[in-house]
Amino acid sequence: MPGFAARLRKATMAEHREAETRSFISRLMAGAVPRAGFAALTAQYLIVYRELELAADTMRADPTAAPFADPALSRVPALTADLTHLYGPGFPQRIPVTSAAQRYADRLREYCHSSPEHFIAHHYVRYLGDLSGGLMVGRKVAATYGLRDGGVAFYAFDQIGDPRAYKAAYRERLDRLSLAEEQLAALVEEAQLAFGLNGAVFQELDSAYPEEISTAA
């Protein structure tokens, strides 16, 4: 019988696919997003990960959530370095913040500091996705935007030696969760919502940063 990890993956497959195929991400991978749009995406990630990692600090005291709250996954230091490279040292006063990213952070703040199932749902959506496609995306955007000396640290997990093995161990932890069925169902529902929140960020960025049309003869 499939474990909970397989159940969670199947239940979020449609939401995952929809988020991945949003126009902004498709354009980003095709090199059709202006550099300012890529920088803005990095800024939205800081808004989201800062709140999620504050929740992780709290959840390390929770026996259910603690195995997931691994400091080796932390993205905020990398994002801070990336934004310093992309915007300059005064980036906190210069970065754009979309309303979608703010709603995402608000949801994390409201639920993920006290509910292990909500925290794990958002943790799963963010970090397993990063570990799955992050290295490929990082290489692509580094080449597209000429980021040879910085700006893409977010996509590299220097403290994770073997991402594939790490993801397998993560799914085993999901399978071992000691939660009531009601809590497991809430976790699945929250993961579906997390993909929607993520997709809304992409949608706002897609509108804010349309493809640049060359006027050269």
Side-chain angles (χ1 to χ4, degrees):
M1 180 178 178
F4 180 69
R7 169 183 169 185
L8 181 58
R9 181 177 182 274
K10 182 177 180 180
T12 57
M13 196 172 295
E15 288 81 5
H16 191 179
R17 187 177 299 113
E18 182 178 354
E20 281 189 337
T21 55
R22 291 276 180 174
S23 177
F24 182 82
I25 292 300
S26 299
R27 290 197 297 115
L28 180 71
M29 295 305 290
V33 170
R35 181 186 169 108
F38 168 68
L41 173 64
T42 307
Q44 309 321 297
Y45 283 152
L46 178 64
I47 301 304
V48 171
Y49 281 88
R50 189 161 51 196
E51 196 60 50
L52 183 56
E53 291 175 7
L54 284 172
D57 291 342
T58 302
M59 281 293 157
R60 289 190 185 104
D62 182 276
T64 300
F68 296 90
D70 183 357
L73 293 169
S74 296
R75 298 291 83 202
V76 169
L79 285 164
T80 300
D82 287 345
L83 289 167
T84 300
H85 182 86
L86 293 166
Y87 286 96
F91 79 83
Q93 287 73 48
R94 300 173 61 191
I95 60 174
V97 179
T98 64
S99 58
Q102 193 58 61
R103 287 194 302 273
Y104 199 159
D106 289 346
R107 181 74 183 187
L108 296 169
R109 187 178 307 113
E110 183 175 0
Y111 288 95
C112 292
H113 289 259
S114 57
S115 166
E117 57 267 33
H118 285 77
F119 170 74
I120 294 168
H122 285 280
H123 195 277
Y124 164 82
V125 168
R126 291 256 49 106
Y127 294 106
L128 241 62
D130 296 335
L131 285 168
S132 295
L135 291 176
M136 179 187 69
V137 174
R139 287 193 296 267
K140 179 67 175 177
V141 296
T144 298
Y145 301 105
L147 298 170
R148 298 177 182 84
D149 302 318
V152 291
F154 168 74
Y155 299 95
F157 285 82
D158 295 336
Q159 296 186 57
I160 306 296
D162 185 343
R164 181 174 295 183
Y166 192 96
K167 290 187 294 180
Y170 191 106
R171 294 186 183 101
E172 289 173 3
R173 289 196 290 274
L174 287 171
D175 288 339
R176 293 196 301 267
L177 280 172
S178 296
L179 293 174
E181 173 54 34
E182 180 179 337
Q183 292 171 296
L184 293 175
L187 196 162
V188 169
E189 185 176 349
E190 190 69 14
Q192 292 169 329
L193 176 65
F195 277 114
L197 291 167
N198 191 45
V201 173
F202 296 153
Q203 187 170 359
E204 282 199 38
L205 292 173
D206 196 44
S207 298
Y209 298 94
E211 184 172 356
E212 293 180 327
I213 306 298
S214 174
T215 56

